[in-house]
Amino acid sequence: MAKIIVAAPPIAGELSPLLQIGRGLAARGHRITVVTGSRFRAEVEKAGLAFRSVTGRADFDDRLLGEDPERAKLAPGPEMLNYDWTHAFVNPMPNQTAVLQQLLEEDPDQYLISNVLWLGALPSALGAPGLRPRRWIGVTAVPLALSSDDTTMFGPVPVAPGDDQKAANRAGNAQFAAMMRPTQDLLAQVLQSLGATAELPTFLDAVVTVPDATAALTVPGFEFERTDAPDSVHLVGILPSRSAPDWNPPTWWEELDGSRPVVVVTQGTFANRDLTELVEPALTGLADLDVTVVVALGREVDALSIPVPANARVAEFIPFDVLLPKADLYITNGGAGGTQQAIAAGVPVIAAGLTEDKPAVAARVAHHGLGITLQTASPTPEAVAEAAQLLLGDTEIRGNVRKLAQVYAAHDALSEIERLTLG
């Protein structure tokens, strides 16, 4: 048995995989303490895990992030990313560090598994006074932004025949780092105020390379290849779709009997406030196709502003472990977790989305021939219908997805994370 601190920002999508890891490790006999925001106390304790809340600026409500009037003025892209990263990840670092130090003072014989964007362990790892865990494992469920001569966060830079691919990628990485300079400068400032003395790599590299090891919840064939990645970075596969034993199938569930293609549509659980972006265009565009459309809203059903077409079924929540095996196509705004779960289930993807990590997810889908990216957060119904018809009849892409599904099946992410933690 090991004593393990599991930490994540109080953002549902960032916490969810870490909480799943915590449950899995507790079932294997380890003692788990989860560190996150106070609003998740009940969920953590219901899972039978010890809970410790962050305080101050680290204890925010992620449900309000998208409603910030200041953020709403920003266009998707560097300005919004810098705003999100400074407010959600850099500003909370001092409070996160304080809680981690309290826990280690109470018992220094503890390991740490943290979401890579939970920065509480970064100061002591870079020379600030304080205790360090026995071993620190970073976990990322989003596409790697690690700079490389082989690629950028969004894939290899397109070059003309004869041009230097590595030089183009280095320039692309440098350009992206320059765009994120406000986050970098603030992070350096806060680290210095906490007593850090070591040189800070770029923010996007630091969160992956400073931990003793980093487990990326993905596989080769979805992530871009980086032959120069440090040995501490491991592609460990994905966590299985969580089951919901108390979920009762809706009355229409038996209609998903394979008699016609099933198209799953979702905007995830965070960027789903405006259903006119993807869900409603998809419902409209697919209404006349011979398919059954299943929409997992992630919110109340009456949030839809249009009538539900005759060939569509809508629910607030459907467990993916029972839904994806029935699916023939997955339409998403590009969340990394759901996209990879679909591919692992052998389902091609249509990706749309411009915020958070969604363009990077879409870039991987397109680069590896796993589906179609619509290159917009608000596609027209016609664009969704055209992409769906293409994918439902495309054998090459379906073959690519089936092959990659076998790669996912060969990985056991929880066992790999346990091995990396305990050494």
Side-chain angles (χ1 to χ4, degrees), residues 5-11 34-41 51-61 88 92-100 102-103 118-120:
I5 299 165
V6 173
I11 299 173
V34 176
V35 177
T36 191
S38 57
R39 93 170 182 92
F40 293 101
R41 174 186 290 273
F51 175 80
R52 183 69 65 93
S53 179
V54 289
T55 59
R57 299 176 82 174
D59 190 19
F60 57 86
D61 189 333
M93 183 170 62
N95 297 106
Q96 294 170 349
T97 299
V99 172
L100 177 62
Q102 290 170 7
L103 284 166
W118 192 89
L119 305 180

Side-chain angles (χ1 to χ4, degrees), residues 58-421:
D59 190 19
F60 57 86
D61 189 333
D62 63 318
R63 296 168 296 187
L64 304 179
L65 291 177
E67 299 177 0
D68 188 331
E70 185 178 349
R71 183 181 186 272
K73 299 175 185 176
L74 305 175
E79 283 190 342
M80 186 175 286
L81 275 176
N82 277 297
Y83 184 88
D84 288 345
W85 288 352
T86 56
H87 284 73
F89 307 129
V90 178
N91 289 339
M93 183 170 62
N95 297 106
Q96 294 170 349
T97 299
V99 172
L100 177 62
Q101 289 301 310
Q102 290 170 7
L103 284 166
L104 293 176
E105 287 169 4
E106 294 167 11
D107 184 354
D109 186 28
Q110 298 189 80
Y111 298 86
L112 172 65
I113 300 174
S114 72
N115 180 289
V116 295
L117 294 174
W118 192 89
L119 305 180
L122 196 58
S124 61
L126 293 176
L131 298 171
R132 298 186 62 180
R134 289 189 62 176
R135 187 164 167 81
W136 173 24
I137 307 302
V139 176
T140 177
V142 301
L144 286 173
L146 180 64
S147 58
S148 167
D149 283 356
D150 297 324
T151 188
T152 70
M153 181 179 182
F154 305 99
V157 175
V159 295
D163 286 354
D164 189 332
Q165 179 69 70
K166 290 186 176 182
N169 292 333
R170 284 194 291 269
N173 285 314
Q175 182 181 21
F176 190 61
M179 288 192 297
M180 307 318 298
R181 193 75 205 181
T183 300
Q184 180 77 15
D185 290 345
L186 178 62
L187 178 61
Q189 191 177 59
V190 177
L191 281 167
Q192 185 177 28
S193 73
L194 294 172
T197 57
E199 183 178 354
L200 173 68
T202 62
F203 173 76
L204 296 169
D205 288 348
V207 298
V208 174
T209 61
V210 174
D212 296 309
T214 294
L217 296 176
T218 187
V219 297
F222 185 79
E223 185 51 69
F224 295 122
E225 183 178 13
R226 292 173 173 81
T227 58
D228 51 359
D231 292 340
S232 61
V233 177
H234 304 263
L235 309 187
V236 301
I238 62 172
L239 298 166
S241 300
R242 282 190 58 201
S243 60
D246 56 347
W247 177 77
N248 294 312
T251 55
W252 47 263
W253 190 249
E254 292 184 359
E255 297 175 19
L256 310 183
D257 58 4
S259 58
R260 64 178 182 173
V262 174
V263 180
V264 174
V265 181
T266 181
Q267 280 186 217
T269 56
F270 178 68
N272 63 2
R273 298 184 183 277
D274 184 1
L275 298 177
T276 66
E277 288 186 342
L278 179 60
V279 167
E280 293 184 5
L283 283 170
T284 301
L286 302 173
D288 295 328
L289 300 186
D290 186 23
V291 299
T292 298
V293 181
V294 178
V295 179
L297 275 184
R299 58 177 301 186
E300 64 280 4
V301 174
D302 60 9
L304 285 170
S305 65
I306 63 171
V308 177
N311 70 338
R313 304 291 180 264
V314 180
E316 181 174 337
F317 169 74
I318 308 173
F320 273 13
D321 66 321
V322 296
L323 177 57
L324 290 175
K326 295 180 177 293
D328 298 277
L329 181 60
Y330 181 76
I331 301 178
T332 173
N333 59 350
T339 298
Q340 291 198 86
Q341 287 173 1
I343 294 167
V347 183
V349 172
I350 295 175
L354 296 178
T355 58
E356 297 91 38
D357 60 311
K358 294 175 176 60
V361 174
R364 285 153 177 78
V365 169
H367 181 81
H368 295 297
L370 304 169
I372 293 174
T373 174
L374 300 179
Q375 299 182 328
T376 176
S378 302
T380 64
E382 294 76 17
V384 175
E386 181 181 0
Q389 289 173 300
L390 284 172
L391 278 186
L392 287 171
D394 190 297
T395 57
E396 181 178 354
I397 288 176
R398 291 189 171 277
N400 294 341
V401 172
R402 283 195 297 270
K403 289 178 183 177
L404 191 55
Q406 295 174 358
V407 178
Y408 281 104
H411 283 75
D412 181 344
L414 184 63
S415 293
E416 183 67 4
I417 290 169
E418 182 181 36
R419 183 191 67 78
L420 291 172
T421 303

